[in-house]
Amino acid sequence: MTPQDGNLLRVSGLCKHFFGIRAVNDLNFGVAAGSITGLIGPNGSGKTTSIDCLSGFQRPDTGKVVFDGADIFGLPPQRVAKCGLVRTFQNVRVYDALTVSENLVIAQQEHGRGMRWRDVLFRPQRIRRQDDAARERAQALLELVGLSHHIASPAGVLSYGQKKLLALAGGLMASPKLMVLDEPLAGVNPTVIRRIEGIVHEVNRQGVTFLIVEHNMTFIMNHCNAIVVMDAGSKLAEGSPDVISSDARVLDAYLGKRPIAEASHG
Ligand SMILES: Nc1ncnc2c1ncn2[C@@H]1O[C@H](COP(=O)(O)OP(=O)(O)O)[C@@H](O)[C@H]1O
Ligand SMILES: [Mg+2]
């Protein structure tokens, strides 16, 4: 059930520091159910740390994270994923020695059923015993991302862009409600960019909400219906692409003038 305010995800007062660095500093924002929300900001503004904290890959210091009506603050990644919040990584993570379809089955187990590294290393037969439902879902997702002809290839033969598509399909194996993507377009060619755009829209049409960290402004402005801008660990602005593109503070943050962020440095 969607919470009353229409937000599938609501982040309030989120803080995370590393030694002296306040990577995330009193961050507040929401992700509307059904939206494609962009999370942008200069390098080092705290985007990755924020989604690490939401998805359980970093333990946040303080704040509140409510997802689909449940308090998920500080939960470990697998528990967060079981609630329906799944993320991909800035640096693509696939198992090169396993086949494309095996990667998808593992991704589903990692997100949903407690598969760990030691299973991958010591119990490969457990991974290979794919149940029919997982195999069918994997096949459908590989068709969606355009990798079905590679189903039996080791993931190691894929190009970087194809590995990103595989990682995206891996996240979708867990049937998320919210898919969080960290720089999905970084380092991929225009053909793969167009494919990822198509996949995001198709999956969104099927009811999945997206939160996307991305530096490609053409993508953000053309494909997101809401944008959150971070600077120095906090939210600088939030709104539609039209509102954000005409906000002088956003341009200033990207140009490095940082008139507002200055005050929040500790
Ligand atoms: N594991 C870490 N240890 C120490 N500092 C970190 C760590 N991760 C991120 N930071 C720092 O936190 C700040 C925010 O980084 P990050 O969240 O990666 O920004 P972005 O994704 O917006 O580029 C940066 O100053 C970065 O150097
Ligand atoms: Mg980052």
Side-chain angles (χ1 to χ4, degrees):
M1 210 179 73
T2 303
Q4 285 166 341
D5 67 356
N7 282 318
L8 180 60
L9 177 72
R10 167 55 58 189
V11 176
S12 319
L14 191 72
C15 295
K16 173 70 184 175
H17 79 281
F18 299 106
F19 309 102
I21 299 165
R22 290 190 206 174
V24 180
N25 190 14
D26 192 23
L27 178 65
N28 300 285
F29 73 96
V31 175
S35 70
I36 302 175
T37 297
L39 179 60
I40 66 171
N43 274 328
S45 57
K47 305 177 298 295
T48 295
T49 306
S50 301
I51 64 173
D52 284 350
C53 288
L54 302 179
S55 55
F57 287 84
Q58 288 280 358
R59 166 99 200 164
D61 300 335
T62 52
K64 207 171 154 191
V65 183
V66 177
F67 176 69
D68 202 23
D71 176 8
I72 61 161
F73 179 91
L75 291 184
Q78 281 173 351
R79 300 246 337 254
V80 173
K82 267 189 185 156
C83 293
L85 192 166
V86 169
R87 58 86 60 91
T88 63
F89 292 87
Q90 206 167 327
N91 299 313
V92 78
R93 295 184 178 187
V94 300
Y95 299 103
D96 280 352
L98 298 179
T99 68
V100 163
S101 73
E102 285 165 351
N103 264 276
L104 289 189
V105 173
I106 287 181
Q108 185 182 41
Q109 288 166 335
E110 279 180 332
H111 292 306
R113 283 190 228 139
M115 173 69 68
R116 290 173 195 283
W117 272 98
R118 58 175 175 272
D119 294 319
V120 175
L121 293 173
F122 300 121
R123 286 190 255 172
Q125 73 283 6
R126 182 169 155 185
I127 293 158
R128 294 197 165 88
R129 244 186 284 124
Q130 305 175 4
D131 58 86
D132 288 347
R135 212 197 311 253
E136 249 173 56
R137 182 153 180 78
Q139 226 150 27
L141 284 170
L142 288 176
E143 260 160 49
L144 177 74
V145 304
L147 290 178
S148 43
H149 56 299
H150 276 302
I151 191 160
S153 313
V157 307
L158 301 181
S159 70
Y160 184 72
Q162 287 173 321
K163 285 183 182 178
K164 281 204 142 172
L165 290 165
L166 178 58
L168 180 54
L172 294 171
M173 278 297 283
S175 303
K177 293 173 188 150
L178 174 64
M179 191 79 211
V180 181
L181 309 179
D182 197 358
E183 301 202 19
L185 307 185
V188 306
N189 68 44
T191 308
V192 176
I193 289 179
R194 278 195 298 278
R195 187 168 285 170
I196 292 174
E197 288 170 345
I199 294 163
V200 166
H201 280 289
E202 174 57 23
V203 173
N204 179 248
R205 203 184 53 77
Q206 293 170 12
V208 178
T209 304
F210 280 86
L211 175 63
I212 305 179
V213 174
E214 186 48 61
H215 283 296
N216 182 323
M217 284 303 136
T218 309
F219 172 84
I220 290 287
M221 292 299 164
N222 289 340
H223 300 282
C224 294
N225 33 42
I227 300 171
V228 176
V229 188
M230 284 188 73
D231 188 29
S234 307
K235 182 178 71 188
L236 180 66
E238 186 174 24
S240 66
D242 280 352
V243 167
I244 294 303
S245 59
S246 56
D247 189 323
R249 294 170 307 167
V250 175
L251 188 60
D252 285 344
Y254 275 94
L255 292 177
K257 293 181 194 164
R258 307 158 75 98
I260 287 175
E262 234 44 83
S264 62
H265 278 298

